[in-house]
Amino acid sequence: MSEADDIHERHRESFKELNKLWDRLDNLEEAVEKFSETALSFVEEPIELVLEKIRSFEPSVSVIGQIKAGKSTLLNALIGETDLLPSDVNPWTSVITALHFNSRHRPVNTRALFRFFDQHEWDRLVATGGRLGEMADRAGFETEADEVKAQVTEMRQSTEDRLGAEFSELIGSSHSFPDLDKDTIDRYICYGDPDDLEDGATEGVYADLTKSADLYIDLPHLPKGLCLRDTPGVNDTFMMREQITLNAISDSRVCVVVLSAHQALSTMDLALLRIICSVEAREVLIFVNRIDELEDPEGEKERIRSSINKTLKRLGVGNDIEILFGSGYWANCALRGGDDMAPASRAALASLHDGQDTDDLEELRRRAMAASGLAELVQAIATRVVEGPGKAIIKDVDNDLKTIIEMSETVEQVADRNAGGPVSIDMSEMDLAMKLADVRDESLKDFDEKAAALRAALRTRLERAQETFLSSAITALQSHIEAFGEVGSWNHDPTGLRMMMKAAFTSSIAKLRREGESAFDVVLDGIQDLLENDMGVFREGSSIEFPSQPQHKSPTVLARTLSLDLQGPWWRKYWRFGGSKAAEKRYAGVILSETTPLIEDLINDFFDPAVTRTRDVVEDFAMKQGNFCKAILERFLEGDGGESSQAEVDELRRLSA
C-alpha cells in the first residue's frame, strides 16, 4: 500500500463513526421502503416524509477563521487533495465554498456550481459601501462613508470593465461544470490584486461577482453526505461577505474555528470572538493551525491553550469547546511526498522527536501526518456530527416510525374486531372532520397566544438589555471625558450587550419549545377524547411518540460587526464639538441606531421563523392524528381492508429501537 493510500485509509478510519451513522440510516431507509409496499393508505404520506427526511439529510460543518489562518490548506488536507482549493486568497474576493462529499443531491452532470450576486445585492454594495459604509453613514460620519463608497465603486467599476458585455449576462445567474479542475475553481473563487492580472489571464476573472460555490467531491476515502463550508476570512475587506458567512454558520450544527498558532485568541479579530459567542459551545471545535511555524510546537501548546481558555472564560463561553493543534501544511507535505518541506518546518517537526531529523522520506511523511493533527480533527468533526445532527435525525425518524407503527396496529385491531362485517357507529365522516378541525384549531389558537406572549416578553428583555448597555456606556464615557477630555478615541465594548441579548433569545427559544410540547398535549388530549367517547377505541397514551421539534438557528446576527466595535478617530468628533453633553447625546444616538436593528433582526429573522417552524410541526401532528382517526372510521364503516406484513413491522421496530 502506498503512503497516499495509507493516508486515505486513515481518513476512512477517522470517519468511521460517521459512516456507521449512514449505515444505520441506509438500513432504516431500506426497511421503510419495504414497509411502504404493504402499508395502510393513511400512512403513505407520513412514510414518504420519513423517507424524504432520510434522503435529504446532509450535515453541514462551517470552517471559519482569520485570513491567512490556513483554512483552505487545512481543507485540502481534509479532502486528501493537496491542490484543489486555492490557499493564497484575496479577502476581497473569497467566497463561501461548499464541499459536498459523496452527495446524493448532486445535480445531474454537475461537479461544480457557481452562483453570482443578483442585481439588488450588487447595487446595494456600491450604493452604501457595504456594511462598513452603512455603519459610517448611520454614525453620521459622512466623509468616512464617502471614502468607503469610493473604494467600493472603484472595485465595482474594475469588475464591470473586466467582464464587459458579459457582466449583464452573469448577474443573478450561475455556471455549472461536469468536472472538477483547479483552473475552473480558480476562475471563480479568488485572485490577487486585479491590477496584477496579465492581459488575457483567467484566474479569478469572475471572483468579485461570485456569491457561492458548490463543489461535489466523490472519493472512496470520504464519508457520504457530509458538507464542509469554507467561509471568507472574518476580517474580509468592507465586510462584503460577512452576512453570507453568518448565514452559512447559522445553517450548520458544527463550527470549526481555525486559528493561526502565531495569533491564537489573544490578538485575533473580535469578529471571530463574536461568532464563537453566538453559537452553542458544544457545536464548536477550535483548531490551532500552523504549529509547524513554531520553533517548539509541543512546548508552546499549553501556553496557547491557556491563553485561549482564559479569553473564552472572560467572554462567558463555556468549557465545552474542544481545542486541537496541528498543521495543514504538514498534512499536505505528507500527501505530496515530504521532500519539499521547508527547512524551518522540518526543524519544528524534528523537535517533536528529540531534535532528530530523518532522511527517510517514508518516515518523514509518517511523522508529518501524525503531527498534523488531521486524524484527531477528522474524528472530532465526525463525533460532533454524530452526536449533534446525527442523533437528532435518528431520534426524529425513530419517533415518526413508532407513531406510524402504533397507529397502523391500532387501525388493524379495529379491522380485526370488524372481521364479520361493518360495525354501526353513530358518526359520519362530516362529523369527524368537524371535530378534528376543532381539535386542530384549539391547539393552534392556544399555541399562537402563548407564542405572541413570548415574543412580547423577548422584546421587553432585549430592550431592557439595550437600556442597561446604554446607561453603562454613557457612564463610562463620562468617566473617560473627565479623565482625558478630548484626547484619544473612544470605544465601549458591546460584548456584554451581545451576551445579554443571547441569553434572552436562548431563554425564549427554550420556552417556545415547551409551548410546542404543550400544544402536542392539547392535540393528543382532543384526539384521545374523540377516540374513546365517539368511537370506543382505547389506546395507551404513553405509547405515543411526539414528533421532534425543529432545531432552531443560532442567533448569529449578534456576531455582525457594529460601529461600536470599531476603533479609530471617529469617536473624537463626539466631544470635539459641543462639549461633553453633546458627546453623550450623540453617542447615545449611535448606540440606539446600531443596536435597535439587532433587536428587530433577532425577533423578525430568528424568533419568528422559530415560531413558524414549531407551529408547522404542531399542525402536522394534528393532521396525522386526524388521518389516523379517519382511517379508524373507515374501518368501522367498511370492514377489513388488509394489513401490513408483520415481518416488516418487526424489522422497523428493531431498527428504531
Side-chain angles (χ1 to χ4, degrees), residues 405-464:
I405 292 170
E406 184 270 335
M407 291 193 299
S408 297
E409 291 183 336
T410 301
V411 171
E412 288 170 353
Q413 289 168 8
V414 171
D416 290 341
R417 287 167 49 190
N418 300 341
V423 175
S424 176
I425 185 171
D426 189 20
M427 174 177 280
S428 67
E429 293 181 351
M430 181 62 71
D431 292 335
L432 177 60
M434 293 177 63
K435 291 194 174 187
L436 290 175
D438 288 342
V439 170
R440 181 200 62 208
D441 292 346
E442 179 185 354
S443 64
L444 293 178
K445 179 174 180 288
D446 183 63
F447 174 79
D448 289 342
E449 290 174 352
K450 292 177 178 177
L454 284 178
R455 189 182 195 272
L458 173 59
R459 177 177 291 278
T460 298
R461 284 192 63 178
L462 293 174
E463 290 176 347
R464 189 182 304 129

Side-chain angles (χ1 to χ4, degrees), residues 369-531:
M369 183 54 70
S372 72
L374 190 65
E376 292 82 3
L377 176 60
V378 169
Q379 191 166 356
I381 290 173
T383 298
R384 295 295 173 113
V385 170
V386 170
E387 293 181 353
K391 187 176 290 184
I393 189 174
I394 289 293
K395 180 181 178 182
D396 200 8
V397 169
D398 285 353
N399 286 348
D400 287 345
L401 292 179
K402 287 175 181 176
T403 299
I404 289 171
I405 292 170
E406 184 270 335
M407 291 193 299
S408 297
E409 291 183 336
T410 301
V411 171
E412 288 170 353
Q413 289 168 8
V414 171
D416 290 341
R417 287 167 49 190
N418 300 341
V423 175
S424 176
I425 185 171
D426 189 20
M427 174 177 280
S428 67
E429 293 181 351
M430 181 62 71
D431 292 335
L432 177 60
M434 293 177 63
K435 291 194 174 187
L436 290 175
D438 288 342
V439 170
R440 181 200 62 208
D441 292 346
E442 179 185 354
S443 64
L444 293 178
K445 179 174 180 288
D446 183 63
F447 174 79
D448 289 342
E449 290 174 352
K450 292 177 178 177
L454 284 178
R455 189 182 195 272
L458 173 59
R459 177 177 291 278
T460 298
R461 284 192 63 178
L462 293 174
E463 290 176 347
R464 189 182 304 129
Q466 182 188 46
E467 292 169 2
T468 300
F469 175 77
L470 176 61
S471 176
S472 67
I474 295 301
T475 299
L477 177 60
Q478 290 171 340
S479 299
H480 181 90
I481 292 174
E482 291 172 1
F484 303 104
E486 300 175 2
V487 179
S489 59
W490 168 249
N491 173 270
H492 189 64
D493 185 6
T495 298
L497 172 66
R498 286 187 169 97
M499 297 306 291
M500 285 189 288
M501 286 187 167
K502 181 186 176 184
F505 178 82
T506 302
S507 172
S508 297
I509 288 295
K511 292 176 181 177
L512 177 64
R513 188 172 298 276
R514 289 196 291 272
E515 296 303 345
E517 296 290 334
S518 297
F520 294 149
D521 280 327
V522 173
V523 170
L524 190 57
D525 288 345
I527 293 295
Q528 295 289 79
D529 181 68
L530 191 157
L531 287 172

